[in-house]
Amino acid sequence: EIVLTQSPGTLSLSPGERATLSCRASQSVSSNYLAWYQQKPGQAPRLFIFGASSRATGIPDRFSGSGSGTDFTLTISRLEPEDFGVYYCQQYGSSPQTFGQGTKVEIK
Amino acid sequence: QITLKESGPTLVKPTQTLTLTCTFSGFSLSTNGVGMGWIRQPPGKALEWLALIFWDNDKRYSPSLKSRLTITRDTSKNQVVLTMTNIDPVDRATYYCTRWWRGPFDYWGQGALVTVSS
């Protein structure tokens, strides 16, 4: 089973700042099958990035995903108030698919 | 428009069997490349994948819970059912129904909170 470790646990930033979230895998993620989800309190997660770097429908271009192998990054170029929440990475290249423990992006 | 909605008991007694139903619309589980999954999230904790059923009726389960889970589908009713046996208080979580589209989970239900208590 591939273990995903996300860092930092919490990111305290102001609107307009750049956010960089990391997801590190214990083994190489097959075909860069890595997704990112955003979750807000009381809501279901929402798919933001799949295939490590492809934005899901309706996701603004200030969100970008990058990386390969075992190291992946989600970057938010300029934080907007609606971007705050918890972000999870997920690998779906190997069974069982697994999630990271999440990074909380909060308002500073 | 794609929608998914979970239904089932909100309170289950320890050792009982939990049965959750996902009713969906806007797509067909018979379409090549489509699957339906269940994911849970204990309060304040991370997401945990539980089970998947695919367009060809292939099924996958979390290895740690495989002995307790069964996933089935009724394509005529657009429903997917998850059963979990021998429920324990540690199974208290919000259970999400999701659509799997060739890898990622692109649509999610609102979630169903299940509490385990005698």
Side-chain angles (χ1 to χ4, degrees):
Chain A
E1 173 175 319
I2 294 179
V3 176
L4 299 178
T5 302
Q6 293 187 240
S7 62
T10 302
L11 205 48
S12 297
L13 295 167
S14 301
E17 290 193 295
R18 181 185 186 90
T20 303
L21 288 66
S22 172
C23 177
R24 181 162 291 178
S26 60
Q27 308 167 41
S28 183
V29 176
S30 174
S31 302
N32 291 336
Y33 285 157
L34 194 287
W36 291 91
Y37 301 83
Q38 178 200 64
Q39 186 178 34
K40 295 187 176 183
Q43 296 184 19
R46 179 186 177 188
L47 177 66
F48 266 46
I49 300 286
F50 62 95
S53 60
S54 298
R55 281 187 297 276
T57 303
I59 303 304
D61 60 8
R62 63 179 180 275
F63 289 88
S64 62
S66 62
S68 64
T70 60
D71 288 297
F72 298 88
T73 301
L74 175 68
T75 302
I76 311 171
S77 59
R78 291 179 315 280
L79 278 165
E80 297 285 342
E82 62 267 26
D83 299 338
F84 295 92
V86 180
Y87 290 82
Y88 293 95
C89 59
Q90 174 222 1
Q91 69 79 22
Y92 51 94
S94 303
S95 187
Q97 43 200 291
T98 49
F99 289 89
Q101 83 279 18
T103 289
K104 182 179 182 181
V105 179
E106 63 178 23
I107 300 174
K108 187 174 181 181
Chain B
Q1 182 190 5
I2 292 175
T3 63
L4 300 85
K5 187 170 184 179
E6 306 86 352
S7 59
T10 57
L11 179 63
V12 182
K13 289 182 168 57
T15 75
Q16 286 188 336
T17 293
L18 170 67
T19 299
L20 293 169
T21 299
C22 176
T23 303
F24 59 90
S25 64
F27 66 97
S28 171
L29 188 45
S30 299
T31 299
N32 191 303
V34 173
M36 294 291 293
W38 287 93
I39 292 166
R40 72 178 179 179
Q41 185 175 39
K45 296 189 177 181
L47 302 164
E48 178 185 18
W49 168 70
L50 301 177
L52 270 170
I53 187 166
F54 299 100
W55 73 94
D56 59 359
N57 207 31
D58 191 17
K59 301 168 188 179
R60 296 283 186 269
Y61 296 100
S62 166
S64 62
L65 293 166
K66 185 175 182 178
S67 63
R68 300 173 52 206
L69 297 174
T70 303
I71 189 169
T72 58
R73 67 180 189 176
D74 186 331
T75 52
S76 66
K77 292 183 178 178
N78 279 353
Q79 289 183 334
V80 172
V81 176
L82 180 76
T83 59
M84 178 182 289
T85 61
N86 195 25
I87 286 291
D88 184 270
V90 299
D91 296 315
R92 177 176 184 253
T94 296
Y95 288 76
Y96 293 102
C97 168
T98 65
R99 189 181 84 151
W100 179 96
W101 173 245
R102 300 185 182 278
F105 297 107
D106 61 349
Y107 288 90
W108 296 61
Q110 62 190 21
L113 176 61
V114 177
T115 300
V116 182
S117 174
S118 55

